[in-house]
Amino acid sequence: MIRIGVIGQSGEIPAETCVLAEEIGKEIALRGAILITGGTSGVMGAVSRGAKQANGLVVGILPGDNVEVANEYIDIPISTGLSFDYRSLILVHSSDVIIMIAGGNGTLGELSAAYLNRKPVVIVEASGGWASRVRGMAYEGSYLDERKWVKLDYANTAAEALDIALSRI
Amino acid sequence: MIRIGVIGQSGEIPAETCVLAEEIGKEIALRGAILITGGTSGVMGAVSRGAKQANGLVVGILPGDNVEVANEYIDIPISTGLSFDYRSLILVHSSDVIIMIAGGNGTLGELSAAYLNRKPVVIVEASGGWASRVRGMAYEGSYLDERKWVKLDYANTAAEALDIALSRI
Amino acid sequence: MIRIGVIGQSGEIPAETCVLAEEIGKEIALRGAILITGGTSGVMGAVSRGAKQANGLVVGILPGDNVEVANEYIDIPISTGLSFDYRSLILVHSSDVIIMIAGGNGTLGELSAAYLNRKPVVIVEASGGWASRVRGMAYEGSYLDERKWVKLDYANTAAEALDIALSRI
Amino acid sequence: MIRIGVIGQSGEIPAETCVLAEEIGKEIALRGAILITGGTSGVMGAVSRGAKQANGLVVGILPGDNVEVANEYIDIPISTGLSFDYRSLILVHSSDVIIMIAGGNGTLGELSAAYLNRKPVVIVEASGGWASRVRGMAYEGSYLDERKWVKLDYANTAAEALDIALSRI
């Protein structure tokens, strides 16, 4: 089974981002992959809802010990007892490929961790937040430093994101 | 969904322990709970095989980054990128209740972590290793120190272990 | 520089244990080693006070992010942002040798982690708690499982504990 | 005691960056603060050398279990047994303020972790790598997302970096 990690904006997200995240979740399930997220709100909630609508399997790598922080679509809550930053690393290590949708600083940190651990990342570029800023800040638009460990990929639709993600594994 | 963590001997285990672990895995699945283990061999492999025979859902919290160390019954490999000791803590934090079968020093450490985090533990007493030694070493046969944070329970059969485990959540 | 980790009872400790821990701290400093503890109260406070009285260097591997939990003798507070159990593993990994004085369940977990990581441990046997119970529970009085990864040592005085500890590095 | 974390480029660094890092290390020691780094090469080695030249106290939060990876200026090696990314979080949590010099993707991840944990960061802007790119990529040149948790500061000299760092604690 392929494990696809989705990282992105927590908290409130625009309706458009929400629809996009749901479509990606659905696509992940339809392609037979497991969805892994940080398990809480925003993009994490929307992508999980989409995956469940298509009968997917959804894992949430949660901060702290309280499963109550998990969104309602999580099948497997992994309550790590760790703070947000440490738990994000477990999410990255446990994913075969990462899809990035919108995102604030926490998502930026996860992107960096993915690159450090040589995980392929597909960035849904039009989704706002850091996802829309990465190309402008990256080395040659594609790398997070001069070592060029992993080439970042960009996608615009759910289907395209999944096509690229699955081709990178 | 209830998450039952099973801790116990890795590597080669006696045939009797293997049968017992399989029965417990089957019982976990039949009762509708998720099985979480450290994902490798010995008791972890046998209990996972039992759970899969009854169509259960099996999570493995793996050391390191290589999913190849997972036994073949794992549905969800969480490859933490951590060494054995750190990953064991994630297993304990992510379980609602723990069942202990046989076990060497690694299992002893997990037992201690469970007690620290106030997780109920059911010890399958006749299974050998530390599971058979705990009562003799524990305070009043039931506690890991004078603070008496959690009372250890003992069981002899798979059905009894599950009855007690589910009653403690 | 040699790094000696001291593990043991937190909270209130008997006057006798306190004196012993102080002597051990002093001895650690006099032998030119760095003292590393979990940084809080009980044995950790007493051993740190002893080390400072002899102008030693004292590191505290703290749970959480608040340095206020550190005892007043810590030179270097490492506030890990982690809960007690995870932070204890950092203490164990960062020590060349471990001395165990008294101790409840948390100390038992640290002892197990030390053994797992092949760290030599000197147990001050008369100090109460798990330190006084280990020999009775251990395999052949000296090992934490049948693999015999590390032989546990026992000492009765501060000088003896240090002699053994330094001989094991 | 104030703990100043320095993050920056590992491996080979330009002579100019090396001189600057050394000056900052010296300044940290002269101001009476403890220096904490990731303990290995590049900026971490240079800043540690500077601090030792001024008789400072230098802590290295090392990846893995082998203290041999530490540079020769470390007084206190904390060998965490963790991979690079997890150990970087301990460095960030354990620092009262962070100074960033040059840096590749690992440093970018540490910057993000600092912001997440509300640690003030002083970026030595002319030092190259991400330190020279942050202002251009940050929200309003000063924040890592719209929540504006911590305002990033910029400095050009060692003295200025320390003045700002100490004013932010």
Side-chain angles (χ1 to χ4, degrees), chain C residues 3 65 77-79 90 93-94, chain D residues 3 65 77-79 90 93-94:
Chain C
R3 302 165 300 167
D65 280 297
I78 303 292
S79 43
I90 295 174
H93 280 273
S94 297
Chain D
R3 303 165 299 168
D65 280 297
I78 304 293
S79 43
I90 295 174
H93 280 273
S94 297

Side-chain angles (χ1 to χ4, degrees), chain D residues 19-33:
Chain D
V19 169
L20 183 61
E22 266 188 54
E23 283 171 3
I24 287 174
K26 197 173 290 184
E27 201 72 28
I28 288 170
L30 292 175
R31 309 267 184 131

Side-chain angles (χ1 to χ4, degrees), chain B residues 90-160:
Chain B
I90 295 174
L91 163 60
V92 167
H93 280 272
S94 297
S95 300
D96 297 308
V97 59
I98 307 273
I99 296 175
M100 176 176 172
I101 306 170
N105 172 66
T107 306
L108 176 64
E110 290 165 337
L111 171 67
S112 169
Y115 183 88
L116 183 70
N117 288 289
R118 275 77 163 177
K119 302 281 183 179
V121 182
V122 183
I123 299 166
V124 182
E125 196 167 8
S127 58
W130 280 109
S132 297
R133 300 163 83 94
V134 172
R135 198 196 289 267
M137 81 183 207
Y139 288 75
E140 300 177 21
S142 297
Y143 303 100
L144 291 182
D145 59 21
E146 284 165 350
R147 288 170 292 190
K148 302 189 178 178
W149 278 344
V150 190
K151 189 172 192 301
L152 303 173
D153 281 314
Y154 297 93
N156 290 308
T157 67
E160 192 188 0

Side-chain angles (χ1 to χ4, degrees), chain B:
Chain B
M1 284 280 277
I2 289 165
R3 301 165 300 167
I4 300 184
V6 171
I7 60 176
Q9 187 73 42
S10 63
E12 290 207 20
I13 54 173
E16 214 174 85
T17 310
C18 188
V19 169
L20 183 61
E22 266 188 54
E23 284 172 2
I24 287 173
K26 197 173 288 185
E27 201 71 29
I28 287 171
L30 292 175
R31 310 266 184 135
I34 296 170
L35 170 62
I36 307 187
T37 78
T40 61
S41 63
V43 162
M44 295 174 272
V47 73
S48 301
R49 185 167 53 245
K52 286 317 293 176
Q53 284 165 0
N55 293 311
L57 192 54
V58 181
V59 179
I61 309 288
L62 302 172
D65 281 296
N66 187 353
V67 295
E68 307 292 314
V69 302
N71 64 60
E72 58 190 300
Y73 312 105
I74 302 294
D75 295 302
I76 318 270
I78 303 293
S79 43
T80 59
L82 296 166
S83 53
F84 283 88
D85 43 4
Y86 288 103
R87 88 73 148 77
S88 282
L89 298 183
I90 295 174
L91 163 60
V92 167
H93 280 272
S94 297
S95 300
D96 297 308
V97 59
I98 307 273
I99 296 175
M100 176 176 172
I101 306 170
N105 172 66
T107 306
L108 176 64
E110 290 165 337
L111 171 67
S112 169
Y115 183 88
L116 183 70
N117 288 289
R118 275 77 163 177
K119 302 281 183 179
V121 182
V122 183
I123 299 166
V124 182
E125 196 167 8
S127 58
W130 280 109
S132 297
R133 300 163 83 94
V134 172
R135 198 196 289 267
M137 81 183 207
Y139 288 75
E140 300 177 21
S142 297
Y143 303 100
L144 291 182
D145 59 21
E146 284 165 350
R147 288 170 292 190
K148 302 189 178 178
W149 278 344
V150 190
K151 189 172 192 301
L152 303 173
D153 281 314
Y154 297 93
N156 290 308
T157 67
E160 192 188 0
L162 266 292
D163 286 348
I164 298 173
L166 295 176
S167 75
R168 292 294 303 277
I169 296 171

Side-chain angles (χ1 to χ4, degrees), chain C:
Chain C
M1 283 280 277
I2 288 164
R3 302 165 300 167
I4 299 183
V6 172
I7 60 176
Q9 188 73 41
S10 63
E12 290 207 20
I13 54 172
E16 213 173 88
T17 309
C18 188
V19 169
L20 183 62
E22 266 187 54
E23 285 172 2
I24 287 174
K26 196 174 291 187
E27 201 71 29
I28 287 170
L30 293 175
R31 310 266 185 134
I34 297 170
L35 169 62
I36 307 188
T37 78
T40 61
S41 63
V43 161
M44 295 174 272
V47 73
S48 300
R49 185 167 53 247
K52 287 315 296 176
Q53 284 166 0
N55 294 313
L57 191 55
V58 181
V59 179
I61 309 288
L62 302 171
D65 280 297
N66 187 353
V67 295
E68 307 293 314
V69 302
N71 65 59
E72 59 189 296
Y73 312 104
I74 302 293
D75 295 302
I76 319 269
I78 303 292
S79 43
T80 59
L82 297 165
S83 53
F84 282 89
D85 43 3
Y86 288 103
R87 89 73 150 77
S88 283
L89 297 184
I90 295 174
L91 162 60
V92 167
H93 280 273
S94 297
S95 300
D96 297 309
V97 59
I98 307 273
I99 296 175
M100 176 176 172
I101 306 169
N105 172 67
T107 306
L108 175 64
E110 290 165 338
L111 171 67
S112 169
Y115 183 88
L116 182 70
N117 288 290
R118 275 78 162 176
K119 302 282 183 175
V121 182
V122 183
I123 299 166
V124 182
E125 196 167 9
S127 58
W130 280 108
S132 298
R133 300 162 84 93
V134 171
R135 198 197 288 267
M137 81 184 207
Y139 289 76
E140 300 177 22
S142 297
Y143 303 99
L144 291 182
D145 59 21
E146 284 164 350
R147 287 170 292 191
K148 302 190 177 180
W149 277 344
V150 190
K151 189 174 193 300
L152 304 173
D153 280 314
Y154 298 93
N156 290 308
T157 66
E160 193 188 0
L162 266 292
D163 286 349
I164 298 174
L166 295 176
S167 76
R168 291 295 301 276
I169 297 171

Side-chain angles (χ1 to χ4, degrees), chain D:
Chain D
M1 284 281 275
I2 288 165
R3 303 165 299 168
I4 300 183
V6 172
I7 60 176
Q9 187 74 41
S10 62
E12 289 207 21
I13 54 173
E16 214 173 84
T17 310
C18 188
V19 169
L20 183 61
E22 266 188 54
E23 283 171 3
I24 287 174
K26 197 173 290 184
E27 201 72 28
I28 288 170
L30 292 175
R31 309 267 184 131
I34 296 170
L35 170 62
I36 308 189
T37 78
T40 60
S41 62
V43 162
M44 296 173 272
V47 72
S48 300
R49 185 166 54 247
K52 286 318 294 175
Q53 283 165 1
N55 293 312
L57 191 55
V58 182
V59 179
I61 309 289
L62 302 171
D65 280 297
N66 187 353
V67 294
E68 306 292 314
V69 302
N71 65 59
E72 58 190 298
Y73 312 104
I74 302 293
D75 295 303
I76 318 270
I78 304 293
S79 43
T80 59
L82 296 166
S83 52
F84 283 88
D85 44 4
Y86 288 104
R87 87 76 151 74
S88 283
L89 297 183
I90 295 174
L91 163 60
V92 167
H93 280 273
S94 297
S95 300
D96 296 309
V97 60
I98 308 274
I99 296 175
M100 175 174 171
I101 305 170
N105 172 67
T107 306
L108 176 63
E110 290 165 338
L111 171 67
S112 169
Y115 183 88
L116 182 71
N117 288 289
R118 276 78 160 175
K119 301 282 182 177
V121 182
V122 184
I123 299 167
V124 183
E125 196 168 7
S127 58
W130 280 107
S132 298
R133 300 163 84 93
V134 172
R135 199 196 288 266
M137 79 183 207
Y139 288 76
E140 300 177 21
S142 297
Y143 303 99
L144 292 182
D145 59 21
E146 285 164 348
R147 288 170 292 191
K148 301 189 178 179
W149 277 345
V150 190
K151 189 173 191 302
L152 303 174
D153 281 314
Y154 297 93
N156 291 308
T157 67
E160 193 188 359
L162 267 291
D163 285 348
I164 298 173
L166 296 176
S167 76
R168 292 295 302 276
I169 296 171

